[in-house]
Amino acid sequence: MEYYHHSINKMAMFMVILVLAIDVTMVLGQGTRVGFYSSTCPRAESIVQSTVRAHFQSDPTVAPGILRMHFHDCFVLGCDGSILIEGSDAERTAIPNRNLRGFDVIEDAKKQIEAICPGVVSCADILALAARDSVVATRGLTWSVPTGRRDGRVSRAADAGNLPAFFDSVDVQKQKFTAKGLNTQDLVALTGAHTIGTAGCAVIRGRLFNFNSTGGPDPSIDATFLPQLQALCPQNGDAARRVALDTGSANNFDTSYFSNLRNGRGVLESDQKLWTDASTKVFVQRFLGIRGLLGLTFGVEFGRSMVKMSNIEVKTGTNGEIRKVCSAIN
């Protein structure tokens, strides 16, 4: 009996160590850790936070812009700030990146940080922190951001060709996320960022008037919602006109976006498919807390998925550099 209890105690201790190891891995990520600048530049995070808040107050569109920018940065060559580099053939010139917003916010924060901690804080980390602070600015939940990334020295438009697209099937979306170490729950959670932000009529109009060359609308669009979208994006109207991705509460980071999918009111084709495909629908339902399913708190899970995404192929240690300005390599 004594041996039996001893074995149980050893097993319990092993389980505690295992849980702690998992927690540490989540905090550390791939060579990053929470509080990386606590001694070398203790004001870094607060400067990013105040800069995002100041810009957001004068222009709320910077919040979804920065969040999208971080996503596009991580999916191309990893989270290394390569999206921030200027140049005739740089990443930010690629078609999916041409409407990105918030570059001035990152440069503003970088300038302030360089004034007190020169050569210490990477642009990649500033972008990761600013993405979190953009969610908080729109009344979303916060999370701890692991830092310690270094900036990449390469930025090519051609590398942005495999970003998730508005017309992608769920299978293609899952393939693109899996290639980055992200699972189906991460896909649904991170796409939930569309609870804020807009899309241009150019990427919406096809499913309103000539879906898959049928000459008619996408049948998955709610019948009462279709005329509203058609009025916002007329067949021969302005292709650059912007439409809110979450018509329920476009300025709040909440679960309204998922309610829209359930009701056939997803604005993007790729978004609505998350409800019509069984493998992703279950996560939409869990974020909505539908009875009979184990619920998931969207804000919490979004933060966890953002931490996973923010550690894609990061450069740490002696890899990369710390840029003096975010728009150019040293």
Side-chain angles (χ1 to χ4, degrees), residues 49-59:
Q49 185 181 55
S50 61
T51 304
V52 169
R53 190 184 302 120
H55 281 265
F56 175 78
Q57 287 173 351
S58 59
D59 180 10

Side-chain angles (χ1 to χ4, degrees), residues 23-43:
D23 285 343
V24 168
T25 300
M26 287 186 65
V27 171
L28 293 179
Q30 306 298 318
T32 60
R33 60 181 172 84
V34 173
F36 183 84
Y37 300 111
S38 59
S39 60
T40 55
C41 193
R43 289 183 54 204

Side-chain angles (χ1 to χ4, degrees), residues 111-125:
K111 185 177 180 181
Q112 294 179 58
I113 290 171
E114 282 295 301
I116 59 171
C117 310
V120 173
V121 182
S122 70
C123 298
D125 276 342

Side-chain angles (χ1 to χ4, degrees), residues 63 67 130-141 143 196 253 302:
L67 193 53
R132 185 269 312 275
D133 296 335
S134 294
V135 171
V136 174
T138 50
R139 302 177 186 176
L141 296 182
W143 64 91
I196 56 175
F253 205 91
F302 181 81

